[in-house]
Amino acid sequence: MTLELVEQNLRPEFSAIVAVSDVARLADMLTSYRAALDAPGRSYELICVTDGREGTTMEALHRLASDWPELVVLGQHPWSDDDAALLVGVKRARSDLVLTLPGWPEIDTTDLPTLFEALGDSDMVIAARSGRDKGGLRRTLFHGLLKRLFGLSVDDPFCRVRLARKPVLEDAGGLGVRQHFIPSIAAQRGYQVTEAQLRPAAAEEEAAHGRFVFKPLGHVRAVLDALMLFVVLKFLRRPMRFFGAIGVPILLVGLATTAVLVAYRLFGATALADRPVLIFAVLMVVLGIQIIGLGLVGEIIIFAQSRRMKQYTVRSIQREDADAIAEKTKEAAGSPPQRAGE
């Protein structure tokens, strides 16, 4: 048996990842996941990526892993954030099927098998907590932002429970943004994204973990990430379209204003030395040329790096058997004509 076959036999059917900094009762949360992960009867591994500087949490996790062979604890140091830690866990996952889980109660863990049933031929299935209020201001604004920028708005964008194929998470999560945008990025890149309704976690469980929601600075970063993603996904390969859409109108306004001032000077004998509009017009022309120049520089960089950039991914290749092709060729050609006397 070759080494590749041995590794394939030892590879789990799916990899579950919990990427979160130190939160209250993290070890207890992983324990609650254990019964749900064992229930489907599939082989798995659970990768927990957390802040390695938290000694108390790390000790509790190591004690938990001592009698849980499927649990892998990664104490990342230095710690950046949950989103970067998720990508670390995805890269270390041994299975081609990855389940992302939060470090606090979000869903009823007994409903996790529903994600595997809903995946089918899709590339990613997102958990949507049923029965939750969808009319909040934050949720409404976030829905509108995702719909406007990316054309996709899921029912529960703040839920971190997702089941996806590993290449999809590596591709969508490689931009280093918040996990809430991963489904939108995946859909923008052509992957098939679906949703599955799961029951939310009990209110007393959420209260016991003391998870706070309102983060003003986090919401501002989310808006900035959304705008950055829109520009990157839409204009990364054609930067001149983005800079040109800004620079050309500015240049035209500056040229038109300058033309009007020159016409007044030539035909109206109006002095231009004491007119501030002339300075404004010249600045607009210079600014428009500079912005367009940035777009040209971006086009040169993209052209130079185009061979290294991944233009697309091949989902599958279907090829007919060589013997079947040869047989069809003979049938199409027909039998050769018989010579006289034969």
Side-chain angles (χ1 to χ4, degrees), residues 202-226:
E204 53 271 14
E205 293 183 4
E206 295 183 353
H209 280 73
R211 187 67 184 175
F212 58 89
V213 177
F214 184 67
K215 294 181 179 180
L217 186 58
H219 298 335
V220 173
R221 289 199 299 264
V223 174
L224 295 178
D225 285 343

Side-chain angles (χ1 to χ4, degrees), residues 83 142 146 157-160 162 178-184 222:
D83 308 311
F142 201 71
L146 293 180
F158 298 106
C159 184
R160 297 193 179 189
R162 304 182 184 97
R178 288 177 168 268
Q179 301 181 33
H180 311 314
F181 299 107
I182 288 181
S184 300

Side-chain angles (χ1 to χ4, degrees), residues 23-58:
V23 296
R25 302 172 59 183
L26 178 57
D28 296 339
M29 192 65 218
L30 296 181
T31 303
S32 66
Y33 284 140
R34 183 172 187 175
L37 294 175
D38 292 338
R42 299 183 178 94
S43 59
Y44 70 93
E45 64 173 350
L46 176 59
I47 303 175
C48 179
V49 187
T50 187
D51 192 348
R53 299 171 297 179
E54 300 294 338
T56 305
T57 302
M58 293 300 297

Side-chain angles (χ1 to χ4, degrees), residues 6-19:
V6 173
E7 292 180 353
Q8 187 174 2
N9 292 333
L10 296 177
R11 184 181 303 172
E13 296 184 42
F14 71 95
S15 299
I17 300 176
V18 177

Side-chain angles (χ1 to χ4, degrees), residues 161-273:
V161 182
R162 304 182 184 97
L163 180 65
R165 308 188 190 280
K166 183 178 179 180
V168 179
L169 288 178
E170 289 179 337
D171 188 14
L175 296 177
V177 296
R178 288 177 168 268
Q179 301 181 33
H180 311 314
F181 299 107
I182 288 181
S184 300
I185 299 173
Q188 188 79 7
R189 291 184 176 272
Y191 298 108
Q192 186 176 354
V193 180
T194 58
E195 288 185 281
Q197 296 292 326
L198 273 67
R199 291 174 296 177
E204 53 271 14
E205 293 183 4
E206 295 183 353
H209 280 73
R211 187 67 184 175
F212 58 89
V213 177
F214 184 67
K215 294 181 179 180
L217 186 58
H219 298 335
V220 173
R221 289 199 299 264
V223 174
L224 295 178
D225 285 343
L227 296 177
M228 183 272 294
L229 276 177
F230 175 75
V231 174
V232 169
L233 294 177
K234 201 170 186 66
F235 302 105
L236 177 62
R237 306 186 191 282
R238 291 292 182 267
M240 188 59 189
R241 295 182 182 179
F242 174 74
F243 290 100
I246 300 175
V248 170
I250 294 176
L251 178 61
L252 292 178
V253 170
L255 292 176
T257 305
T258 303
V260 172
L261 293 175
V262 171
Y264 272 112
R265 179 67 182 87
L266 294 178
F267 303 105
T270 304
L272 300 180

